[in-house]
Amino acid sequence: MQHDKILILDFGSQYTQLIARRVRELNIYSEIHPFNKIPTELSEYKAVILSGSPMSVRSEDAFHPDLKGLRGEKPMLAVCYGAQYLAHFSGGEVAESNTREYGRANLSYVKEGETFFKGITEGSQVWMSHSDTIKTLPTNGQLLASTHDVKNAAFKIEGETTYAIQFHPEVYHSTDGKQLLENFLVDIANVNPDWTPDSFVEETVDGLKAQLGDDKVVLGLSGGVDSSVAAMLLHKAIGENLYCIFVNNGLLRKDEFSQVLEQYKGMGLNVKGVDASKRFLDALAGLSDPELKRKAIGRVFIEVFDDEANQIENVKWLAQGTIYPDVIESVSATGGPSATIKSHHNVGGLPDFMKLKIVEPLKALFKDEVRRVGASMGMEQQLLGRHPFPGPGLAIRILGDITSEKVRILQEVDAVFINGLKDAGLYDKVWQAGAILLPVNSVGVMGDERTYEKCVALRAVESTDGMTADWVNLPYEFLQKTSNDIINKVKGVNRVVYDISSKPPATIEWE
């Protein structure tokens, strides 16, 4: 890659991914590495950013990285914990604050003439999230900005290109955060902002050609954005040597198998559809635990995929639509496995019996970047704008055990909901939507007769990357019509509810 790169050292902050995404919005490539796994080849990086952390620098267990080769050698921006780290271990003082700041604050003082604060004035809103405060600046520290409650909100180290801030420029609530990052990276660190979707496509295709040569590659398509964009990049690189397999696990949305196959025909891809519905449903029979269901689906998918791959002569590579959050979420700030919320289907390698090498064209991209890359290749907005859909499909939206009848009911309900969103012009205003079949029956009355049928929950959220999400305040009139349509058109359902939980504390999916 012939671009300037930014190294982000992760101390476990919930905002670290946001730092990387904000930097990339400036057309600058950034990488996240755990603080205790600093890359050995530092010449690749033009500047470094230290993230925040839930840890206190005053703790005996405080993260204490070796910044040799970085501090004083490269432009450095220290955020929150990073700023306190520089102060605490370099002659300053950090103490528990009497006036803790969480949330919005405003700059009450900004040092004039500083390039770091170019275009940012007193009164600018910033986002704070800390319980410690910097009482005394480190050796050679020079104050740059304050808020009403935090005197040392920003400082620089004289004699170094080192800057530090107590607030978080990466969150949207810091209204001039993007400007500050641009000031530091472009004006101070002299980083060239030339990392664009077009350049990514050109460089990735060239890299795939060199990596794969005349080898054959097999790719499992899901109908989603990630696998589709990965397929187009590989198609540009190796053409007919790419073999795509789209497996129907019986847990797709209504008519999705035929619709997606038809859509892929217009993209020039070599795609084979495999209907393995019965095989998956048989494997799921009697399983209620969400993790067991996920693992059963993953196991059967590998088996089906392996059967199909073995029919391709001399295939050597398996392509996956792994994206950057999948990669960095598999390693915590302390270098060990993160807590498992749910299994990722495309992280962790292949079974030993699959003798294929892995190629992952998208592993450097965030979700929104994948969409921009797809758009730069001329892919249809209808595909790029598709809502995310879980790898295990409707199996984790049917709470409890899976039967073909439950799948039918949920497919019908989901179709009413999703088509209703499209008809009402709401689909593109929602990041992800779907329906959940609950493991309860409720009493109802239809035509003067008592019913005892299923309850379904509708879920619609807004998000940028799925890490956090808020429920969408859909119009009452839409919810009323959708509820009536579901109950009237879907046999087996007599009650509809709407999920108004945000993430956190809930997750987007129910299982």
Side-chain angles (χ1 to χ4, degrees):
M1 182 182 295
Q2 302 302 314
H3 300 279
D4 291 341
K5 295 164 64 174
I6 305 304
L7 172 63
I8 300 171
L9 293 185
D10 179 25
F11 291 94
S13 169
Q14 61 178 319
Y15 300 135
T16 302
Q17 283 199 31
L18 288 181
I19 299 175
R21 293 182 71 244
R22 294 296 168 266
V23 171
R24 291 184 181 197
E25 287 174 4
L26 298 170
N27 293 330
I28 296 171
Y29 182 72
S30 60
E31 289 181 353
I32 298 172
H33 290 267
F35 76 92
N36 60 349
K37 291 191 176 181
I38 299 174
T40 54
E41 186 49 69
L42 296 176
S43 62
E44 297 180 359
Y45 302 98
K46 194 72 177 287
V48 60
I49 298 176
L50 308 183
S51 83
S53 174
M55 183 72 70
S56 168
V57 296
R58 298 180 297 108
S59 167
E60 291 182 2
D61 300 323
F63 300 145
H64 196 341
D66 180 5
L67 298 179
K68 184 179 179 181
L70 292 174
R71 183 175 171 183
E73 302 292 330
K74 296 180 183 294
M76 175 178 288
L77 173 61
V79 177
C80 198
Y81 180 91
Q84 293 176 359
Y85 177 84
L86 291 182
H88 184 69
F89 291 105
S90 301
E93 180 188 359
V94 175
E96 186 176 2
S97 175
N98 294 324
T99 55
R100 295 183 297 174
E101 268 196 350
Y102 288 98
R104 294 172 177 84
N106 298 92
L107 298 179
S108 59
Y109 163 75
V110 176
K111 188 174 186 295
E112 292 185 4
E114 282 292 334
T115 302
F116 189 59
F117 280 100
K118 183 184 71 175
I120 304 172
T121 60
E122 293 178 10
S124 177
Q125 179 179 285
V126 296
W127 183 264
M128 296 285 190
S129 181
H130 57 93
S131 57
D132 287 347
T133 193
I134 299 171
K135 292 287 189 180
T136 307
L137 293 178
T139 303
N140 296 327
Q142 184 180 97
L143 181 66
L144 297 183
S146 306
T147 69
H148 291 289
D149 294 320
V150 176
K151 178 182 178 182
N152 298 313
F155 63 89
K156 70 177 181 180
I157 305 295
E158 294 182 17
E160 302 178 14
T161 315
T162 299
Y163 292 77
I165 49 178
Q166 274 281 233
F167 54 89
H168 290 268
E170 66 272 23
V171 302
Y172 285 114
H173 304 298
S174 289
T175 52
D176 294 312
K178 187 175 180 180
Q179 178 66 55
L180 184 141
L181 289 171
E182 184 175 2
N183 291 346
F184 171 72
L185 293 170
V186 178
D187 296 335
I188 295 174
N190 296 316
V191 177
N192 186 17
D194 64 350
W195 193 69
T196 64
D198 287 342
S199 68
F200 176 85
V201 171
E202 181 181 350
E203 291 164 11
T204 300
V205 170
D206 287 344
L208 290 171
K209 287 178 178 178
Q211 180 183 12
L212 303 174
D214 293 327
D215 290 351
K216 293 179 180 178
V217 178
V218 62
L219 167 67
L221 285 172
S222 68
V225 175
D226 299 339
S227 65
S228 300
V229 173
M232 287 301 294
L233 287 167
L234 286 158
H235 180 67
K236 282 179 170 289
I238 62 174
E240 293 184 354
N241 275 349
L242 173 65
Y243 294 78
C244 299
I245 298 172
F246 180 38
V247 177
N248 181 9
N249 59 11
L251 302 160
L252 302 174
R253 286 182 155 137
K254 183 180 179 181
D255 300 327
E256 187 172 28
F257 185 55
S258 58
Q259 291 172 358
V260 169
L261 283 175
E262 189 64 30
Q263 187 173 36
Y264 281 134
K265 283 182 181 178
M267 296 168 62
L269 296 174
N270 176 19
V271 182
K272 179 180 180 180
V274 179
D275 189 351
S277 304
K278 185 178 184 304
R279 192 166 171 179
F280 280 90
L281 291 175
D282 287 347
L284 287 166
L287 297 181
S288 298
D289 181 85
E291 275 296 291
L292 292 179
K293 289 193 289 186
R294 286 176 182 271
K295 288 175 180 177
I297 291 169
R299 172 178 55 80
V300 176
F301 179 80
I302 289 291
E303 292 171 356
V304 172
F305 195 81
D306 189 52
D307 290 345
E308 296 300 322
N310 282 330
Q311 297 179 33
I312 305 169
E313 188 175 354
N314 296 323
V315 64
K316 295 182 179 180
W317 296 83
L318 170 67
Q320 294 191 144
T322 308
I323 60 175
Y324 198 39
D326 297 334
V327 176
I328 57 182
E329 284 175 0
S330 65
V331 180
S332 72
T334 55
S338 299
T340 300
I341 305 302
K342 54 191 176 185
S343 300
H344 279 287
H345 66 284
N346 57 348
V347 176
L350 293 173
D352 291 338
F353 65 81
M354 290 193 74
K355 306 300 182 183
L356 297 174
K357 294 180 285 187
I358 299 291
V359 57
E360 298 168 313
L362 305 177
K363 67 180 180 180
L365 299 184
F366 289 100
K367 191 76 167 188
D368 51 333
E369 294 172 325
V370 174
R371 289 193 169 96
R372 290 200 293 271
V373 166
S376 75
M377 293 189 291
M379 295 175 64
E380 293 183 7
Q381 182 56 39
Q382 180 182 356
L383 191 156
L384 296 177
R386 282 191 66 190
H387 290 178
F389 190 65
L394 298 180
I396 59 168
R397 293 182 178 176
I398 298 173
L399 306 193
D401 67 317
I402 311 295
T403 67
S404 57
E405 175 62 9
K406 290 180 180 179
V407 172
R408 179 199 67 79
I409 291 174
L410 190 55
Q411 284 178 331
E412 296 289 344
V413 170
D414 181 84
V416 172
F417 185 30
I418 297 301
N419 290 334
L421 287 170
K422 292 178 179 177
D423 292 342
L426 296 170
Y427 184 84
D428 292 334
K429 298 178 181 179
V430 172
W431 190 77
Q432 183 174 347
I436 299 93
L437 184 65
L438 304 185
V440 295
N441 285 19
S442 66
V443 174
V445 58
M446 292 183 182
D448 295 327
E449 293 185 1
R450 177 183 183 276
T451 62
Y452 191 58
E453 295 180 330
K454 294 294 182 185
C455 174
V456 294
L458 306 183
R459 180 83 157 131
V461 299
E462 53 189 3
S463 179
T464 55
D465 49 24
M467 294 176 61
T468 61
D470 291 320
W471 63 278
V472 177
N473 190 6
L474 294 174
Y476 287 142
E477 295 80 7
F478 170 80
L479 291 173
Q480 181 183 42
K481 181 179 186 305
T482 301
S483 175
N484 287 341
D485 286 346
I486 289 171
I487 292 172
N488 288 333
K489 296 177 180 179
V490 183
K491 184 179 180 180
V493 176
N494 69 356
R495 192 177 298 271
V496 178
V497 298
Y498 187 53
D499 182 352
I500 59 170
S501 308
S502 294
K503 177 186 179 182
T507 54
I508 295 176
E509 300 293 344
W510 280 40
E511 287 192 342

